[in-house]
Amino acid sequence: MTALTLSTAGAATLRADAIVVGVAKGAKGPAVAPGAEAVDKAYDGKLASVLESLGATGAEGEATKLPAPSGLKVPIVIAVGLGAAPEKDEAYGAETLRRAAGVAARTLSGAKKAAFALPVEAAEDLAAVAEGALLGAYAFTAYRGTEKTAKSAGGKGDSGVKQPLGEVTLLGGKPRDKAHKAAVERAISLTEEINRARDLINTPPNDLYPETFAAIATAAGKEHGVKVQVTDEKALVKGGYGGLLGVGQGSEHGPRLVRLEYTHAKAKKTIALVGKGITYDSGGISLKPPGHNETMKCDMSGAAAVFAAVVSAARLGLQVNVTGWLALAENMPSGTATRPGDVLRMYSGKTVEVLNTDAEGRLVLADAITRASEEKPDAIIDVATLTGAMVVALGSRTFGIMSNDEAFRTSVHEIAEEVGEASWPMPLPTELRKGMDSPTADIANMGERMGGGLVAGLFLKEFVGEGITWAHLDIAGPAFHEGAPYGYTPKGGTGSSIRTLVKLAERTAAGDLG
């Protein structure tokens, strides 16, 4: 993990491998952003014109490297685009700063230390830059050579892949200011858990399966004061968890239900988070077509998000009780696998006719939601890479939000937008429920093809306890990024929805969600 510190040192005197400044897209060309005054002075006030001559415009996502003048103690200056400058007396938005810091951190991979002199006016700005830098610096290198060879290769492993930026020094903040210090400490705790979730999502499925995921959760629980209870395969059989067992019975790696519990002595509310944890999804007997299996290690992204959110709540000491439920299984085809046409008796007692074994996430979630409902939480939020239909509807960067309470759905959407996670509220049309009627069982796991993401939400709603507020986040699009990195988003696992869940827990602790 990249280290991060606050410093009151001047930009002209700090020693580092590089210094990062912001540049806005002005009406007459690039404009140097606040925070870079000392750097601009070292260029005799001509930094903007130098950048323009190099083709820089100040557009978001842009990064321009240039040699530092003799007045600075660094060899390189990195100018990152901030987009259009804000109106007079307005500050740059948190997401703008977050993305710019992420671009800079990615650009500086392989460097040991960099100073960030981006425009910061308040603790929220420092938090955004810290989050962006630490998330942008992320790299999954666990399977790239060894630590020893990486050090001996000048920051590169055996494969030549650069190691993440080693240290970030934030300028413009005040280390002794309580609000500044708290903002940075929160950012460090949060991003460490997001990056841990990214590691889990990126881990190959031959190493990450239900048992090993449960062991990782257990170890983290001991470290951060989170109680962890693992229900293994034998206990799942005894308890009648037909959804988890039905999905997992085709694999040699048995399913698990992991319960995480963080409590606070002064908490007045309890929220339950439920995560889909299919550590590998082949589709089962309803095998996925060629080209759709290669990234299915990411089908446990919902469980990774829930795990990270609960641990984050514990590390931040939030005044709210949070339980997390990781519904873990591996969906494989074999002689023992569930077949299309089989009927499963769920933990709730309802029977489900399985029409497609690739609609497995809703089966494991249904059991976990029922179990979570027994504890009567104030709200349940489930998170899942559930349907390709949601990707068709919203694209690869936006997750859908469904709920049995319109006001709660609106609150979750507003929170997601506030923390910089693109989302969109989706309906639960009652007319789509009829498509899941089964002549054999209480309900089928498939319904109408059109509106498939909404059908999945309606299925889950059937298993929510009476009177419990519930929301469903379908993160199938943004959970795993297959294209080139952008902003602070890497290629591979992203940690989607974690910031939303943590902010929701903070709002609940503060009594802002009713």
Side-chain angles (χ1 to χ4, degrees):
M1 183 72 181
T2 301
L4 186 141
T5 57
L6 275 174
S7 176
T8 56
T13 59
L14 189 71
R15 294 185 181 275
D17 295 320
I19 189 165
V20 176
V21 297
V23 55
K25 193 173 183 179
K28 298 181 180 180
V32 178
E37 292 84 359
V39 176
D40 188 31
K41 183 178 180 180
Y43 283 95
D44 296 325
K46 298 178 181 179
L47 177 56
S49 59
V50 171
L51 288 170
E52 187 172 22
S53 69
L54 293 173
T57 66
E60 281 195 25
E62 190 177 78
T64 306
K65 278 186 179 182
L66 58 164
S70 58
L72 301 178
K73 301 295 184 182
V74 297
I76 295 172
V77 172
I78 306 288
V80 289
L82 297 169
E87 297 295 328
K88 187 178 181 181
D89 298 327
E90 291 186 8
Y92 285 92
E95 184 63 6
T96 295
L97 295 176
R98 204 178 281 120
R99 290 178 179 176
V103 170
R106 287 193 292 104
T107 303
L108 287 162
S109 61
K112 292 181 179 180
K113 181 180 179 180
F116 281 56
L118 293 174
V120 292
E121 296 182 9
E124 292 77 11
D125 301 331
L126 280 173
V129 174
E131 286 179 16
L134 294 175
L135 293 175
Y138 172 83
F140 185 63
T141 59
Y143 293 81
R144 300 279 194 174
T146 65
E147 183 179 356
K148 182 177 180 180
T149 55
K151 289 180 179 179
S152 65
K156 298 182 180 181
D158 292 336
S159 62
V161 175
K162 291 182 179 179
Q163 297 298 300
L165 170 63
E167 182 182 346
V168 170
T169 299
L170 296 185
L171 305 182
K174 301 173 183 177
R176 295 184 180 181
D177 183 288
K178 290 183 178 180
H180 288 193
K181 184 178 179 181
V184 169
E185 287 178 348
R186 179 190 182 276
I188 292 171
S189 295
L190 178 61
T191 55
E192 282 181 354
E193 295 311 318
I194 293 174
N195 286 336
R196 191 212 300 258
R198 288 172 167 182
D199 282 347
L200 287 168
I201 297 165
N202 291 327
T203 298
N206 57 315
D207 283 344
L208 188 75
Y209 42 90
E211 184 179 358
T212 54
F213 196 153
I216 290 168
T218 299
K222 290 179 180 178
E223 180 182 356
H224 296 292
V226 174
K227 293 181 181 179
V228 181
Q229 179 184 355
V230 180
T231 305
D232 63 16
E233 195 168 6
K234 289 182 179 179
L236 290 173
V237 171
K238 185 177 180 180
Y241 291 85
L244 277 157
L245 291 165
V247 173
Q249 70 187 45
S251 172
E252 65 178 23
H253 300 298
R256 299 286 189 276
L257 179 62
V258 179
R259 180 183 184 275
L260 309 169
E261 181 185 29
Y262 161 70
T263 59
H264 192 286
K266 296 183 180 180
K268 295 180 179 179
K269 296 281 187 178
T270 298
I271 58 174
L273 310 178
V274 179
K276 173 186 173 183
I278 304 299
T279 55
Y280 182 75
D281 182 19
S282 70
I285 296 296
S286 305
L287 192 67
K288 290 181 183 292
H292 289 74
N293 275 306
E294 290 77 5
T295 60
M296 282 299 101
K297 64 183 181 181
C298 79
D299 213 20
M300 37 58 68
S301 296
V306 167
F307 170 43
V310 176
V311 175
S312 292
R315 293 183 63 172
L316 297 172
L318 302 184
Q319 196 167 307
V320 60
N321 297 328
V322 185
T323 56
W325 301 87
L326 315 183
L328 308 177
E330 186 177 63
N331 188 25
M332 296 291 285
S334 73
T336 62
T338 293
R339 297 150 292 216
D342 283 355
V343 173
L344 306 177
R345 186 169 293 278
M346 309 295 282
Y347 179 72
S348 68
K350 288 183 180 180
T351 54
V352 177
E353 183 181 9
V354 179
L355 299 180
N356 187 323
T357 63
D358 196 24
E360 85 299 328
R362 65 199 69 181
L363 298 175
V364 300
L365 284 172
D367 273 356
I369 288 172
T370 302
R371 177 66 186 87
S373 295
E374 289 181 340
E375 298 184 358
K376 305 295 183 184
D378 293 288
I380 294 175
I381 304 93
D382 77 73
V383 190
T385 47
L386 205 58
T387 64
M390 196 56 59
V391 186
V392 173
L394 298 178
S396 61
R397 296 190 183 185
T398 304
F399 62 77
I401 307 171
M402 285 156 262
S403 179
N404 60 2
D405 183 302
E406 187 173 342
F408 189 62
R409 184 188 65 180
T410 299
S411 293
V412 175
H413 176 227
E414 290 174 348
I415 287 170
E417 295 297 306
E418 178 186 334
V419 301
E421 295 195 304
S423 66
W424 196 250
M426 303 294 282
L428 289 171
T430 55
E431 68 271 15
L432 293 178
R433 170 61 183 83
K434 186 172 178 56
M436 290 185 283
D437 286 348
S438 166
T440 308
D442 295 325
I443 190 173
N445 77 327
M446 293 290 289
E448 294 182 27
R449 180 171 177 268
M450 298 302 173
L454 312 182
V455 170
L458 285 166
F459 180 91
L460 295 178
K461 184 182 176 184
E462 296 272 327
F463 297 87
V464 179
E466 186 176 353
I468 298 175
T469 300
W470 158 80
H472 161 56
L473 312 185
D474 190 336
I475 62 170
F480 195 85
H481 179 57
E482 296 186 62
Y486 65 93
Y488 52 85
T489 301
K491 186 180 181 68
T494 65
S496 174
S497 80
I498 296 171
R499 284 179 289 148
T500 297
L501 296 177
V502 173
K503 179 59 73 172
L504 187 146
E506 289 175 325
R507 288 283 183 83
T508 304
D512 294 340
L513 286 179

